[in-house]
Amino acid sequence: HQLVKTPNQRYHAYFDVIIGLVFLFLVNEAARHRKWYMERADQVSFVLALRQKKASQSMFQILTFMLPSFMVTRILKSPEKTISESVKRASILFIKINDFDDMIQRLSPSHLLEKLNSIFSRLDSYCSSRNVTKIETVAEEYMCAVGIVPSDQAFELEDESQGHRTLMRLVQLAGDVLDY
């Protein structure tokens, strides 16, 4: 190891150390900024993924309100695909609210929505208690069915005479509606 003896050699040694420190500082700052930008990108990505998840959950909730639950996952998996399948036996009940046009005329929009919500909630409750599948509600119409969900189809495959029992659930629901 050689000692620095001349002032010129000392000056070059100090200069080399200073240049090394400046270079080290610049590399450290570049790495620090890169790390900050990467963390920021990760944060933005996380927030976008969280928003996407919330939007998906919201869409799922809306779809489960509008459609039978067994259809929602199929729709979300392949939204561009038309879903249709053949069922051996199904029965559909259409329910239309009497005097709906009169209700529109005499009730305010908010009262009309409250009334429809009350009626359709009651129908949902009837469907649930009778194990009938709600298909959709449109304006003053409510549509429900039996024999379309996979559990109904599997039940009938085991014993075809059970089809009458499946239909009876819909008839009992119709009786509940008439009693309302």
Side-chain angles (χ1 to χ4, degrees):
H1 180 34
Q2 181 182 6
L3 293 174
V4 178
K5 296 182 181 177
T6 67
N8 195 22
Q9 287 177 332
R10 245 185 268 153
Y11 171 74
H12 284 295
Y14 288 138
F15 184 75
D16 287 346
V17 169
I18 290 173
I19 291 297
L21 288 172
V22 167
F23 181 71
L24 186 61
F25 174 77
L26 291 175
V27 168
N28 184 43
E29 282 300 303
R32 196 170 64 79
H33 282 286
R34 181 177 168 104
K35 180 183 175 192
W36 183 84
Y37 282 114
M38 289 174 67
E39 287 175 351
R40 181 72 178 137
D42 286 346
Q43 289 172 350
V44 169
S45 177
F46 176 76
V47 168
L48 290 176
L50 190 61
R51 286 182 184 162
Q52 178 67 32
K53 183 178 178 181
K54 285 182 181 178
S56 294
Q57 288 173 339
S58 177
M59 181 182 291
F60 185 80
Q61 288 175 337
I62 290 169
L63 286 174
T64 55
F65 182 72
M66 295 171 49
L67 300 167
S69 58
F70 73 95
M71 296 294 290
V72 174
T73 49
R74 292 174 62 188
I75 288 171
L76 291 176
K77 285 181 182 176
S78 304
E80 71 285 347
K81 185 178 175 185
T82 301
I83 298 174
S84 66
E85 56 186 54
S86 182
V87 241
K88 188 171 182 176
R89 183 183 341 197
S91 299
I92 301 171
L93 176 64
F94 294 90
I95 302 169
K96 186 173 180 179
I97 299 172
N98 280 342
D99 301 327
F100 183 71
D101 292 333
D102 292 336
M103 286 174 60
I104 291 174
Q105 296 298 322
R106 62 185 162 82
L107 295 175
S108 69
S110 62
H111 285 106
L112 178 64
L113 287 176
E114 286 176 18
K115 182 74 171 172
L116 288 175
N117 187 45
S118 171
I119 292 169
F120 290 148
S121 292
R122 173 76 54 104
L123 293 173
D124 288 343
S125 174
Y126 290 159
C127 283
S128 179
S129 69
R130 297 290 185 192
N131 199 20
V132 173
T133 303
K134 171 187 172 181
I135 304 296
E136 70 177 351
T137 57
V138 177
E140 78 274 18
E141 296 180 7
Y142 188 96
M143 182 170 60
C144 55
V146 292
I148 61 169
V149 295
S151 61
D152 282 349
Q153 294 167 18
F155 186 64
E156 287 192 26
L157 285 176
E158 290 175 11
D159 184 1
E160 287 201 24
S161 67
Q162 298 301 320
H164 298 295
R165 288 188 185 170
T166 302
L167 177 59
M168 283 308 296
R169 294 193 328 251
L170 196 62
V171 171
Q172 289 168 339
L173 173 85
D176 293 342
V177 171
L178 290 174
D179 289 342
Y180 175 61

